[in-house]
């Protein structure tokens, strides 16, 4: 199906990034936030990032202005009614997402695809809150959405092939590199990354290594582009712990559970870059 208008619900870290990618790729985009202030703040962040892109020569000032002209923000869900595809990027809570999908199913044109950007929840359970689970898919973007090319297109048992194909082709039109996968906990990347990062944190204590040396071990020894401690600081300790708990609950494997050190960091507010300190200071 041809996509011309896109909706993004939730303009936080991920939603604002996804909206930015959409307007840069030429799609009329309506972003929905819970308050006009949050919508405005998201627009300001997008303006800022596109401005930096102009400074760095990645786009022209005219392209920036044209992209921003394609972005509309609203607090009214009904304004997403005419969208061909809606990406949901609200808080990672099943009840909130199920309630939203129930509403989206009622207000958005029946031909449209409804996609969730959930990292660790079941797309099947979110889709089950609608009358039309065949049009619900996962579109899992990575942070920062304007930079990382991967999008996991998540298939539930109920999803229609046409909806999955639409989401896949749309991701390609955004300039992304989509892959297809089933609706299993953590999908592909987080299923691998979360226990791997947990192991890295456990090694800190088991092997008496400093965060600096652990990061050097993996950047200098395995050619990782970023060390595990710097990566957790970037993801956010809170986001990582939340995802690890969800995977642990879903799979019951000990390695999935967040290591004690991360739980303590969360309790003391050491969340990584967003709080100014995590494994490192910012
Ligand atoms: N942060 C990441 O690294 C990352 C990566 C991939 C996927 N995700 C997933 O993306 C989703 C969003 O994560 P985030 O980090 O951007 O969260 P965030 O807290 O930065 O943003 C969520 C936004 O949604 C808004 N919101 C809440 N309920 C809403 C509603 N009913 N309608 C409209 N807006 C609403 C909030 O005001 C907030 O601005 C989550 O499902 C998360 O698991 C996050």
């Amino acid at each position: 199906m041809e996509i011309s208008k896109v909706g993004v619900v939730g303009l936080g870290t991920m939603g604002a990034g996804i909206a930015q990618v959409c307007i840069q790729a030429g799609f009329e985009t309506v972003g929905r936030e819970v308050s006009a202030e949050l919508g405005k703040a998201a627009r300001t962040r997008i303006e800022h990032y596109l401005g930096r892109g102009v400074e760095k020569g990645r786009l022209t000032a005219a392209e920036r202005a044209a992209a921003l002209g394609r972005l509309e923000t609203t607090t009214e869900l009904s304004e997403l009614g005419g969208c061909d595809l809606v990406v949901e990027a609200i808080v990672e809570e099943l009840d909130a997402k199920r309630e939203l999908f129930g509403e989206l199913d009622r207000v958005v044109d029946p031909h449209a695809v409804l996609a969730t950007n959930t990292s660790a929840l079941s797309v099947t359970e979110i889709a089950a809150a609608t009358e039309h689970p065949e049009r619900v898919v996962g579109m899992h973007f990575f942070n920062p959405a304007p930079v990382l090319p991967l999008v996991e297109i998540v298939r539930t048992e109920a999803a229609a092939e046409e909806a999955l194909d639409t989401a896949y082709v749309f991701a390609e039109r955004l300039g992304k590199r989509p892959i297809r996968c089933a609706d299993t906990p953590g999908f592909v990347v987080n299923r691998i990354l979360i226990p791997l990062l947990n192991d890295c944190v456990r090694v800190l204590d088991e092997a008496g290594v400093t965060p600096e040396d652990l990061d050097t071990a993996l950047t200098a020894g395995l050619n990782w582009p970023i060390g595990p401690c710097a990566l957790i600081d970037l993801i956010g300790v809170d986001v990582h712990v939340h995802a690890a708990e969800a995977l642990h609950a879903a799979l019951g494997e000990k390695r999935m559970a967040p290591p004690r050190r991360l739980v303590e960091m969360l309790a003391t507010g050491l969340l990584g870059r967003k709080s100014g300190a995590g494994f490192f200071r910012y």
Side-chain angles (χ1 to χ4, degrees):
M1 191 197 51
E2 197 54 37
I3 305 285
S4 53
K5 193 169 176 190
V6 179
V8 179
V9 187
L11 298 173
T13 308
M14 292 307 293
I18 294 165
Q20 180 186 325
V21 172
C22 293
I23 58 175
Q24 282 192 269
F27 293 99
E28 294 295 327
T29 303
V30 190
R32 193 263 181 140
E33 253 299 344
V34 288
S35 72
E37 292 71 36
L38 285 171
K40 193 158 179 280
R43 171 181 274 279
T44 304
R45 288 202 308 282
I46 295 172
E47 279 171 3
H48 171 74
Y49 287 128
L50 291 180
R52 284 224 316 242
V54 174
E55 282 163 23
K56 292 186 176 165
R58 284 197 289 263
L59 75 165
T60 65
E63 283 166 344
R64 172 181 183 262
L68 289 169
R70 288 188 278 269
L71 178 64
E72 197 186 308
T73 60
T74 181
T75 55
E76 298 300 321
L77 208 58
S78 57
E79 289 193 27
L80 275 65
C83 292
D84 305 303
L85 186 146
V86 176
V87 184
E88 167 275 315
I90 70 165
V91 281
E92 184 77 335
E93 286 168 18
L94 184 61
D95 288 347
K97 289 194 195 280
R98 280 176 57 89
E99 189 184 332
L100 175 67
F101 272 76
E103 284 179 62
L104 283 173
D105 195 30
R106 286 187 286 278
V107 302
V108 182
D109 198 286
H111 78 275
V113 172
L114 306 179
T116 173
N117 184 48
T118 182
S119 300
L121 298 173
S122 156
V123 180
T124 304
E125 285 183 45
I126 295 169
T130 70
E131 300 270 309
H132 303 97
E134 66 279 3
R135 65 161 160 163
V136 180
V137 302
M139 279 190 86
H140 186 216
F141 291 78
F142 287 74
N143 187 15
V147 177
L148 290 179
L150 181 65
V151 182
E152 293 172 335
I153 307 292
V154 183
R155 178 180 64 242
T156 71
E157 293 284 326
E161 281 306 319
E162 200 194 340
L164 291 160
D165 289 346
T166 299
Y168 188 96
V169 171
F170 172 63
E172 285 184 320
R173 284 193 55 202
L174 294 179
K176 298 296 179 192
R177 291 181 59 190
I179 63 162
R180 298 171 201 267
C181 61
D183 184 24
T184 48
F187 312 131
V188 176
V189 169
N190 283 343
R191 168 69 180 81
I192 295 166
L193 180 66
I194 286 171
L196 182 58
L197 289 179
N198 285 345
D199 279 348
C200 290
V201 174
R202 290 185 179 109
V203 165
L204 284 173
D205 296 314
E206 287 167 14
V209 190
T210 64
E212 288 81 359
D213 279 356
L214 183 66
D215 278 14
T216 300
L218 292 180
T219 52
L222 285 181
N223 242 350
W224 281 27
I226 180 171
C229 297
L231 181 56
I232 292 171
D233 277 356
L234 186 69
I235 293 169
V237 171
D238 51 341
V239 171
H240 178 83
V241 167
H242 197 268
E245 282 169 346
L247 266 192
H248 183 236
L251 295 170
E253 286 176 34
K254 264 176 129 176
R255 282 180 70 223
M256 302 292 175
R260 180 188 293 189
R261 185 193 271 248
L262 287 182
V263 175
E264 286 171 2
M265 284 172 71
L266 175 61
T268 52
L270 290 171
L271 304 183
R273 281 180 182 267
K274 67 174 84 165
S275 68
F279 287 104
F280 304 111
R281 298 207 152 269
Y282 299 93

